[in-house]
Amino acid sequence: MIRSAVVEDVPAVHAMIRELAEYEKVPHEARATEEQLREALFGARPAAFAHIAETDEGEAVGFSLWFLNFSTWRGVHGIYLEDLYVRPGVRGGGYGKALLVELARICVERGYERLEWSVLKWNEPTIAFYEALGARPQDEWSVYRLTDEALKGLGSAQG
């Protein structure tokens, strides 16, 4: 049901990223190209990793895309789950849980002490799913992000 992604999965992952952006009501923000994904996942220095959820017939119906982070407090790596997506027609079939189980297994096997991700506050079905697995929100933290002109402006500022 779950396997590591291979380069031939890039078109399916790209398509599901677009579907996820539609679901999250921000299709204009999903600007990554297949080539960028191919380079990030399978280039000379991979920056991210992916797993595929597939049916018994081999159809890709979900994915997780993740990268390593590091806890200065714990002194070890963890996994940051950038995206987890399961196509609507197969939700409830165990694919999402299986993807998270695989990432948790990797954490335990490698001695990583955290598996973290973000979820939109309005996405109540997904929040309920995560909490049923034992995940807890980190309400004392707020996510901040620099993009576009703000990032360019700060990046060109003199220290």
Side-chain angles (χ1 to χ4, degrees):
M1 180 184 285
I2 305 301
R3 63 174 174 77
S4 294
V6 295
V7 70
E8 291 81 13
D9 293 314
V10 168
V13 170
H14 185 258
M16 288 187 280
I17 288 170
R18 305 279 312 161
E19 292 170 25
L20 176 59
E22 289 282 343
Y23 175 76
E24 292 184 352
K25 303 173 183 137
V26 287
H28 59 282
E29 291 186 23
R31 299 183 298 207
T33 65
E34 287 186 22
E35 184 54 41
Q36 288 172 313
L37 288 173
R38 193 173 292 106
E39 182 64 27
L41 294 169
F42 303 105
R45 293 180 25 216
F49 308 92
H51 284 85
I52 300 297
E54 63 183 11
T55 64
D56 292 338
E57 295 77 32
E59 178 188 358
V61 293
F63 78 99
S64 62
L65 195 141
W66 56 277
F67 54 88
L68 295 179
N69 60 15
F70 184 82
S71 170
T72 56
W73 290 17
R74 295 192 176 215
V76 296
H77 282 292
I79 286 177
Y80 186 84
L81 175 59
E82 179 66 19
D83 283 326
L84 181 126
Y85 179 74
V86 175
R87 288 188 158 142
V90 297
R91 289 187 187 150
Y95 296 104
K97 181 177 181 182
L99 286 162
L100 285 171
V101 165
E102 178 61 12
L103 294 182
R105 186 196 63 73
I106 291 169
C107 286
V108 171
E109 179 181 278
R110 297 181 186 178
Y112 303 162
E113 295 188 11
R114 291 182 179 166
L115 172 55
E116 297 179 310
W117 62 90
S118 297
V119 61
L120 291 165
K121 291 182 180 185
W122 59 258
N123 195 345
E124 293 179 17
T126 301
I127 291 168
F129 167 70
Y130 291 147
E131 290 184 354
L133 296 176
R136 296 294 170 252
Q138 301 298 298
D139 292 335
E140 66 274 13
W141 295 91
S142 293
V143 176
Y144 282 80
R145 178 179 296 157
L146 281 170
T147 61
D148 304 323
E149 295 308 313
L151 178 61
K152 290 175 187 170
L154 185 60
S156 63
Q158 299 294 320

